Amino acid sequence: MFQRTKAYIDSLRERQNLYVFSVCALGVALFAAFVNAPSFSLNEWVLLYALVASVVVLNHLDFQLPPSGTKQSMDSSVILAALFVHGLDIVLYVLLLSYGILAAIRREVALWKHLANFSMYVIMIVATSSVFAWTGGRIGTLEVTSVYIYLLSLAVYFFVNTSIFGGFHVIQGKPAIKVFNGVFKESISAYASTLLLSLVLTMLFERSPFFGLFLFMGIAVLISKSFKLLFELYHSLSERAIVDQRTGLYNHSYFEEALESRLNASKKTGDVFSLVLLDLDNFKKYNDVYGHLKGDQLLEFFGTQLKHLCDREGVVVARYGGEEFTVILPNVGAEEALAYANHIRKRINDTYFEGVELFPHGCLSFSAGIVQYTLDIYDKNQLVDRADQAMYYAKAQGKNVVHIYNEDSILQRTLDIEQDIREIEQQLNIFLSKDVYTFQHSKRVYRYAMELSDRLTLTDAEKKTLVLGALIHDIGKLEIPRDVLNKKGKLTNEEWEMVKKHVLWGKEIASTNEKFKPLLPLIELHHERYDGKGYPRGLKGEEIPKLARALCVIDSFDAMTTERPYQRTKTFQEAIVELRAHAGKQFDPEFAEAFIAMIERGGFDWSEDEERDGRDASPTNPAAG
């Protein structure tokens, strides 16, 4: 894998170098082909030097455009105005002398970059000059009746510039449409103003070349300074919007965006990353004793230390809220994150702050939970929830501890499964007056899950999650109107879309109870398909959490083998044939075969249980499952 990555990087670097070399070669060749030996008058030499000085000054006064920070200068206005009034020859010499001076002044910039910039400008100017001449443009006088010629020439200048810049990004492997769309959107307004200002300078050149250039330079300098101040203001406001003012770290909103972005990137690439959630130990006690002002100073101190200790490329450190902080570690697994967090913890322990003698450990400390991204995680809230569970388990061990999320350890502090089942059944009892079928369906799926969980290689926590998830998976149907749930005829498209929303409604209902959060993926995703054609997210293969894939098999089997008005009830054997036919399409093949093996072993007749519950076993819902 490493060798393939290195080979790709080497290949990419070669393509980039070849592209830059090609631009330089083309620019130098065009310069040699179009430049003539200088035969300027004294007045033209003076003007040439004035133009060179203007280009160098404006290049030095470049500014950045919000929001992306794209750099822009107004030297193009001078170059284009000189082209329209004095022709290509003088402009080529202006470029040669300007970039010679810039190369001497900015020696920290590699010489090939100066050459690449010079070559790019030559290509743009030669292309613009050719179009200007071809469309009938006349050097020396701005003809208002032929203004379209100037506008077309300016458009060519912009197009060539965008093409050269965009081409470099495409060479890097970025989508061409996205690149050119981004470049166009970022630079069109600034380029439009710069190019139109070249026409203003053209008119000034006609009246008084030197005074016109002096007047334009004054305006250009003021505009450049104004844009610079605007960007600094924008940057300051943007920073305030994403930075926590107390600690100087990123704030909660930025953390949410960064985590979402990292999660989406890892889904595409498969790259691992870890999330660390830290909580400052005994902070409330410190606040109570020393007051909120001193508490705020402690938070500021801790944030500064954390930022310093997490000075690593790509790491995002944020204040999550109160005395809680987060660290996103890209390309870092759980074990490496554990070592990293423990190193920070020990450094914090050794860092003195006034009043830490109050703490039980006699020093500043934190407890932290770590969770590593895995393919079954589909939502950023899962990561935060797991990190939160691990953090609280760290606190349960006496604080000043870092703990990796582990479902078996989480199981130790959750309520007994029988108590959880009783709570869920109290919710399901509402179905007795609304939809008897869904109640019975949920109980059957729960019993199947109990049997299947013992046949799969699952941890105790996973077994508990599968069983409880099976029992509560259709809780969202409580939100569906009674007349839709009990409709005898076929559902309309609108009614079917409503029924499909039960997975989202169920997630909302279950999320109100903290200890049911591990069940949310099963509630929301048990209608996803292995081939990616399910709902609500259209997840595919192992993007779907494994317990949701297992529940999909159980849920579908019970729906097929239960009598419903608009679907012929299948026998167990017919349903097994269906499972095998759709394994790899709708169902995970591994879980489908495990469930089939369980069914073929026999012993599944729920009729006595349903009668014992005192419920009518005849179904009424045509859209169950």
Side-chain angles (χ1 to χ4, degrees):
M1 177 68 179
F2 174 77
Q3 291 296 330
R4 288 201 301 271
T5 303
K6 185 176 183 299
Y8 173 76
I9 293 173
D10 290 341
S11 172
L12 183 62
R13 189 175 291 116
E14 286 177 10
R15 293 202 303 270
Q16 291 172 349
N17 292 341
L18 181 60
Y19 183 81
V20 173
F21 176 78
S22 300
V23 170
C24 291
L26 178 59
V28 171
L30 288 174
F31 180 85
F34 283 88
V35 74
N36 295 308
S39 57
F40 304 131
S41 65
L42 178 60
N43 197 47
E44 287 175 326
W45 275 112
V46 174
L47 179 63
L48 187 148
Y49 291 133
L51 291 171
V52 169
S54 301
V55 169
V56 171
V57 169
L58 290 175
N59 203 285
H60 180 71
L61 291 174
D62 58 358
F63 50 88
Q64 293 174 283
L65 296 173
S68 62
T70 303
K71 283 199 170 185
Q72 183 74 35
S73 71
M74 301 186 70
D75 55 350
S76 290
S77 297
V78 176
I79 293 169
L80 286 166
L83 174 69
F84 294 144
V85 176
H86 299 286
L88 183 60
D89 250 4
I90 196 168
V91 172
L92 291 177
Y93 279 105
V94 168
L95 289 175
L96 180 64
L97 293 173
S98 299
Y99 277 92
I101 294 172
L102 288 169
I105 295 174
R106 297 178 175 175
R107 280 174 288 183
E108 73 279 4
V109 178
L111 192 59
W112 68 265
K113 291 186 178 180
H114 288 297
L115 178 60
N117 282 331
F118 166 75
S119 301
M120 184 179 69
Y121 270 100
V122 170
I123 295 169
M124 291 155 53
I125 282 297
V126 169
T128 304
S129 175
S130 300
V131 170
F132 184 69
W134 178 70
T135 53
R138 289 170 52 184
I139 301 295
T141 305
L142 178 63
E143 299 177 354
V144 179
T145 55
S146 303
V147 70
Y148 71 92
I149 296 176
Y150 295 93
L151 294 177
L152 179 60
S153 302
L154 297 178
V156 169
Y157 186 87
F158 172 70
F159 174 77
V160 174
N161 179 269
T162 304
S163 299
I164 294 173
F165 270 115
F168 183 76
H169 290 293
V170 171
I171 287 292
Q172 292 178 311
K174 299 176 183 177
I177 295 177
K178 188 175 181 180
V179 165
F180 287 108
N181 188 41
V183 172
F184 182 82
K185 282 183 177 179
E186 286 183 6
S187 56
I188 181 63
S189 58
Y191 252 109
S193 59
T194 301
L195 298 179
L196 289 174
L197 279 172
S198 68
L199 295 183
V200 175
L201 182 55
T202 300
M203 290 187 285
L204 291 173
F205 270 155
E206 286 185 55
R207 296 293 181 91
S208 178
F210 295 103
F211 180 73
L213 183 59
F214 172 77
L215 188 62
F216 176 82
M217 283 298 295
I219 296 172
V221 168
L222 290 174
I223 291 175
S224 297
K225 289 286 188 182
S226 298
F227 267 113
K228 191 171 184 178
L229 290 172
L230 174 64
F231 182 78
E232 288 175 357
L233 177 62
Y234 176 86
H235 182 72
S236 174
L237 292 174
S238 298
E239 190 173 81
R240 288 175 67 87
I242 63 173
V243 172
D244 175 64
Q245 299 304 304
R246 174 63 55 199
T247 62
L249 302 176
Y250 288 118
N251 59 21
H252 184 94
S253 297
Y254 183 86
F255 161 73
E256 292 276 350
E257 292 178 8
L259 185 61
E260 183 82 41
S261 176
R262 174 58 58 182
L263 180 61
N264 291 337
S266 291
K267 284 179 181 178
K268 294 177 182 177
T269 63
D271 292 340
V272 71
F273 74 92
S274 294
L275 172 64
V276 185
L277 182 62
L278 305 86
D279 185 87
L280 202 55
D281 292 331
N282 303 293
F283 178 74
K284 185 179 183 300
K285 184 178 181 181
Y286 188 91
N287 243 354
D288 292 342
V289 173
Y290 293 103
H292 291 288
L293 180 60
K294 199 68 179 175
D296 288 344
Q297 292 174 358
L298 175 57
L299 288 175
E300 184 177 350
F301 175 79
F302 183 75
T304 301
Q305 294 299 313
L306 195 59
K307 186 176 183 179
H308 171 70
L309 293 170
C310 294
D311 185 18
R312 181 171 171 174
E313 186 178 357
V315 173
V316 176
V317 187
R319 184 184 180 190
Y320 190 70
E323 66 271 26
E324 291 186 338
F325 300 82
T326 57
V327 182
I328 301 174
L329 297 169
N331 305 311
V332 172
E335 292 298 333
E336 186 181 347
L338 177 65
Y340 188 75
N342 269 321
H343 169 73
I344 295 172
R345 181 181 59 80
K346 290 172 184 176
R347 292 286 298 273
I348 291 292
N349 291 164
D350 295 337
T351 304
Y352 179 77
F353 188 81
E354 184 182 354
V356 294
E357 301 84 2
L358 173 75
F359 296 139
H361 293 93
C363 63
L364 190 60
S365 68
F366 64 79
S367 301
I370 295 173
V371 60
Q372 176 182 316
Y373 166 73
T374 53
L375 288 175
D376 66 321
I377 293 175
Y378 67 96
D379 184 83
K380 68 178 185 294
N381 292 326
Q382 282 182 283
L383 283 163
V384 176
D385 288 340
R386 292 182 181 186
D388 185 63
Q389 290 173 7
M391 182 185 71
Y392 278 99
Y393 191 67
K395 284 187 173 294
Q397 297 176 65
K399 301 182 180 179
N400 199 25
V401 172
V402 180
H403 184 78
I404 297 176
Y405 172 80
N406 179 282
E407 290 180 325
D408 288 325
S409 63
I410 301 304
L411 182 65
Q412 297 172 19
R413 63 183 185 81
T414 55
L415 295 176
D416 185 74
I417 188 169
E418 285 79 10
Q419 176 61 32
D420 289 345
I421 289 172
R422 282 193 292 271
E423 287 188 28
I424 292 174
E425 285 188 324
Q426 286 177 4
Q427 295 239 19
L428 292 179
N429 283 338
I430 301 173
F431 278 125
L432 289 176
S433 62
K434 190 171 185 178
D435 179 23
V436 175
Y437 178 86
T438 299
F439 179 89
Q440 294 177 341
H441 167 71
S442 297
K443 294 295 289 286
R444 288 191 299 270
V445 171
Y446 154 69
R447 291 170 186 139
Y448 282 132
M450 286 280 286
E451 294 291 331
L452 183 62
S453 66
D454 288 333
R455 289 168 169 77
L456 298 176
T457 306
L458 302 175
T459 65
D460 289 341
E462 287 174 331
K463 289 179 181 179
K464 174 182 177 179
T465 300
L466 178 59
V467 170
L468 294 179
L471 188 60
I472 201 175
H473 75 283
D474 272 342
I475 192 70
K477 288 185 177 177
L478 286 171
E479 298 293 323
I480 300 175
R482 187 194 302 264
D483 58 335
V484 174
L485 282 173
N486 296 318
K487 185 176 180 179
K488 299 292 184 182
K490 188 176 181 180
L491 297 178
T492 65
N493 289 336
E494 291 77 14
E495 289 169 338
W496 173 235
E497 289 300 319
M498 181 190 298
V499 169
K500 285 166 65 176
K501 289 181 180 177
H502 78 278
V503 294
L504 300 176
W505 292 332
K507 179 183 177 182
E508 290 178 6
I509 293 171
S511 64
T512 59
N513 192 324
E514 189 71 25
K515 61 186 176 183
F516 291 155
K517 281 190 174 181
L519 312 182
L520 300 184
L522 283 77
I523 297 169
E524 182 184 7
L525 305 177
H526 67 275
H527 282 295
E528 297 286 357
R529 290 171 54 105
Y530 199 71
D531 57 9
K533 297 179 180 178
Y535 66 88
R537 292 175 179 259
L539 301 180
K540 183 178 181 180
E542 293 190 359
E543 292 177 349
I544 309 167
K546 67 178 181 180
L547 299 183
R549 301 199 303 269
L551 180 57
C552 175
V553 175
I554 302 170
D555 184 49
S556 299
F557 181 85
D558 186 72
M560 287 189 282
T561 55
T562 303
E563 182 182 349
R564 294 190 290 174
Y566 287 91
Q567 177 178 301
R568 187 182 70 83
T569 306
K570 290 180 172 60
T571 64
F572 276 22
Q573 194 56 43
E574 288 173 331
I576 287 172
V577 171
E578 283 290 308
L579 289 180
R580 285 200 168 116
H582 291 87
K585 299 174 184 177
Q586 182 175 354
F587 309 115
D588 183 314
E590 180 184 349
F591 291 131
E593 282 302 322
F595 184 79
I596 289 170
M598 181 190 81
I599 294 298
E600 288 179 337
R601 187 177 176 186
F604 296 97
D605 183 1
W606 312 129
S607 57
E608 291 183 8
D609 292 326
E610 289 171 351
E611 289 173 7
R612 186 166 59 248
D613 289 337
R615 299 175 178 87
D616 179 10
S618 60
T620 57
N621 184 0

